[in-house]
Amino acid sequence: MTYRYHYDSPLGGITMASDGTALTGLWLDGQKYFASTMPKDCKEKPLKIFEETIHWLDIYFGGAEPDFTPQLSLESTTFRKEVWEILLSIPYGKTMTYGEIAKKIAEQRGLVRMSAQAVGGAVGHNPISIIVPCHRVVGTNGSLTGYAGGIEKKMQLLELEGGLEKQQRKMEKCKY
């Protein structure tokens, strides 16, 4: 059985999903691929994992870096899971480019290169937004591209982490 729960955040509603033990989804209401891993026959139910996730979100939206991660269950292809593991390694307030992620995966797989576009597809299909920080991935020149929740929300999340100002300075340097 899959369970769902709603959270009101400063960015709007957030819908969470769980298998009863781990978090399986977290989407900003209305985002692209909303509830992509959540079956239609799920039940609304308060669970311990939702309490932990709400605690994490409260800390995060309070402007601090949470010192724990709720238990996650990320089910997908091996490639997507590899990309999502790299997303989990991007530090709070920092960013990484699609190309840098592609290079890491190519190295892990012993390949000469990997497509940054393929990485972009995996990033875009991340089912656990914010906690698996796909908002920290930027274009090659530092541009704020491609966020399933919308560029405005990506900017708000990076600003909350103190990373937006740093990102804008990087982009200014690229212009010259």
Side-chain angles (χ1 to χ4, degrees):
M1 174 50 81
T2 300
Y3 303 95
R4 72 176 184 273
Y5 202 75
H6 187 82
Y7 173 82
D8 290 316
S9 84
L11 299 181
I14 290 178
T15 299
M16 296 177 266
S18 172
D19 58 12
T21 305
L23 192 68
T24 59
L26 189 147
W27 304 272
L28 296 159
D29 290 355
Q31 83 174 51
K32 192 174 185 182
Y33 311 117
F34 178 81
S36 61
T37 60
M38 189 169 64
K40 295 194 185 324
D41 65 341
C42 60
K43 292 182 181 177
E44 183 90 14
K45 183 178 181 181
L47 299 171
K48 185 175 186 221
I49 187 63
F50 292 145
E51 289 174 20
E52 291 171 8
T53 302
I54 288 167
H55 182 60
W56 191 99
L57 290 167
D58 286 346
I59 293 168
Y60 181 82
F61 286 119
E65 179 181 4
D67 62 356
F68 70 98
T69 301
Q71 184 176 342
L72 307 177
S73 178
L74 293 160
E75 297 300 322
S76 191
T77 65
T78 301
F79 176 72
R80 284 184 179 177
K81 287 195 270 188
E82 284 177 89
V83 170
W84 300 337
E85 284 298 318
I86 292 171
L87 297 181
L88 284 165
S89 75
I90 303 171
Y92 181 91
K94 303 287 184 192
T95 59
M96 182 178 269
T97 68
Y98 294 96
E100 289 170 327
I101 294 171
K103 185 177 178 183
K104 274 190 165 204
I105 290 180
E107 288 170 2
Q108 289 172 1
R109 292 181 165 206
L111 302 172
V112 175
R113 57 186 295 278
M114 171 62 64
S115 165
Q117 287 179 318
V119 167
V123 169
H125 284 85
N126 167 24
I128 303 179
S129 296
I130 304 171
I131 295 173
V132 178
C134 49
H135 61 279
R136 296 181 189 151
V137 182
V138 298
T140 302
N141 64 356
S143 59
L144 302 179
T145 64
Y147 185 61
I151 297 298
E152 175 78 18
K153 287 188 173 127
K154 181 174 191 160
M155 288 173 61
Q156 289 174 307
L157 292 168
L158 289 172
E159 187 175 322
L160 177 71
E161 295 180 13
L164 184 59
E165 189 176 305
K166 292 178 219 168
Q167 196 58 40
Q168 289 170 333
R169 283 195 303 266
K170 274 188 204 176
M171 287 174 57
E172 284 299 315
K173 287 179 184 177
C174 290
K175 290 180 183 177
Y176 302 105

